[in-house]
C-alpha cells in the first residue's frame, strides 16, 4: 500500500497477527511497517498512517539526512577541530594518540573511544531518568546504527547509537528519556509525548539539534 502524505509517497508494509492494537515502525525513510490485528481493514490502516503523517514525514527527513552521507572528516593535520565529544569540537590529537597511525587506524581508535564514552555517559545519566519515570529496561546496548539515535524493543531492551557521544549531554538526556518512555508507550501517541514533555519540556529543541547537526556527528 502506498499513501501520499504532504507530497511524499509513503510505502506501507502490512503485517497481520494476533495482537490487540496496530503499531507503526520505521527503518528507512518514507517506508513504514504496520503490525495490525488480524482482520483490520485497509481503510483503518490508511487512517492510522494518515493520523501519524506529519511525524512520519518529519522522521523520514531526519533519516534521509543521515543516509545522504556524512560530512567528510579530515584526519590529516590533527583534524583541525573537526571532531565532537559531548558537543564540543576537538582536534584529533586531543582525543586519541595520532603518532604513526594510518587513517584507518585513527578511525578505528576514535570509534572505540566514542563507544566507551557513550556507554559511560548513558550508564551514568539513565539512572536518574529510570527513577523519575519509574521504569527499568531489561538491557542497555551501544550500537552502530545508520538511521536511529536510540530504540526500545517490545521486551524493554534499549539501544543507543554510539554517535550520541558527539552530542551535548542534554541532547543525550533527551534520547534516553525518549527511549525510556517507550517502555510504557510503544507508539508516538499523545500520551507518549506528554510523558516525554513532563520530564523535558523543551524536548523539541533537542530534536532540532539532532536534525541540524546529525551529519556532523560522524567519523
Amino acid at each position: 500500500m502506498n499513501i501520499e502524505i504532504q507530497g511524499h509517497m509513503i510505502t506501507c508494509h502490512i503485517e497481520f497477527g494476533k495482537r490487540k492494537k496496530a503499531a507503526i515502525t520505521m527503518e528507512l525513510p518514507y517506508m513504514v511497517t504496520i503490525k495490525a490485528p488480524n482482520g483490520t481493514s485497509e481503510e483503518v490502516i490508511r487512517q492510522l498512517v494518515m493520523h501519524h503523517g506529519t511525524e512520519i514525514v518529519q522522521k523520514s527527513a531526519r533519516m534521509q539526512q543521515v543516509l545522504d552521507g556524512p560530512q567528510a572528516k579530515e584526519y590529516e593535520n590533527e583534524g583541525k577541530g573537526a571532531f565532537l565529544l559531548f558537543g564540543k569540537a576537538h582536534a584529533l590529537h586531543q582525543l586519541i594518540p595520532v603518532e604513526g597511525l594510518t587513517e584507518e587506524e585513527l578511525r578505528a581508535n576514535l570509534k572505540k573511544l566514542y563507544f566507551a564514552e557513550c556507554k559511560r555517559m548513558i550508564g551514568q545519566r539513565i539512572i536518574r531518568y529510570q527513577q523519575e519515570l519509574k521504569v527499568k529496561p531489561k538491557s542497555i546496548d551501544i550500537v552502530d546504527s545508520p538511521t536511529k539515535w536510540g530504540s526500545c524493543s517490545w521486551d524493554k531492551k534499549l539501544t543507543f547509537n554510539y554517535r550520541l557521544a558527539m552530542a551535548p549531554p542534554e541532547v543525550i538526556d533527551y534520547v534516553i528519556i525518549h527511549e525510556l518512555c517507550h517502555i510504557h508507550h510503544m507508539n508516538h501517541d499523545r500520551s507518549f509525548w506528554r510523558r516525554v514533555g513532563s520530564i523535558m519540556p523543551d524536548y523539541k529543541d533537542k530534536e532540532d539539534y539532532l536534525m541540524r547537526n546529525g551529519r556532523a556527528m560522524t567519523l
Side-chain angles (χ1 to χ4, degrees), residues 24-73:
I24 299 176
T25 59
M26 181 186 299
E27 297 291 340
L28 291 171
Y30 307 105
M31 297 182 65
V32 297
T33 297
I34 302 99
K35 296 182 179 180
N38 289 325
T40 304
S41 70
E42 183 175 304
E43 181 58 29
V44 168
I45 293 172
R46 182 179 296 275
Q47 290 177 2
L48 175 67
V49 174
M50 293 296 294
H51 178 73
H52 293 281
T54 297
E55 176 191 339
I56 291 170
V57 170
Q58 290 177 346
K59 185 174 181 180
S60 292
R62 292 195 294 269
M63 294 170 72
Q64 189 64 58
Q65 187 178 53
V66 175
L67 293 174
D68 280 344
Q71 294 178 339
K73 295 294 187 191

Side-chain angles (χ1 to χ4, degrees), residues 93-124:
H93 76 281
Q94 294 175 308
L95 299 177
I96 58 172
V98 298
E99 190 68 30
L101 299 179
T102 66
E103 180 174 325
E104 183 177 351
E105 291 169 333
L106 292 171
R107 191 186 299 270
N109 290 346
L110 190 59
K111 190 171 185 178
K112 289 178 182 177
L113 171 73
Y114 283 131
F115 260 91
E117 289 298 310
C118 186
K119 182 177 181 178
R120 180 184 64 82
M121 179 66 84
I122 288 176
Q124 289 177 351

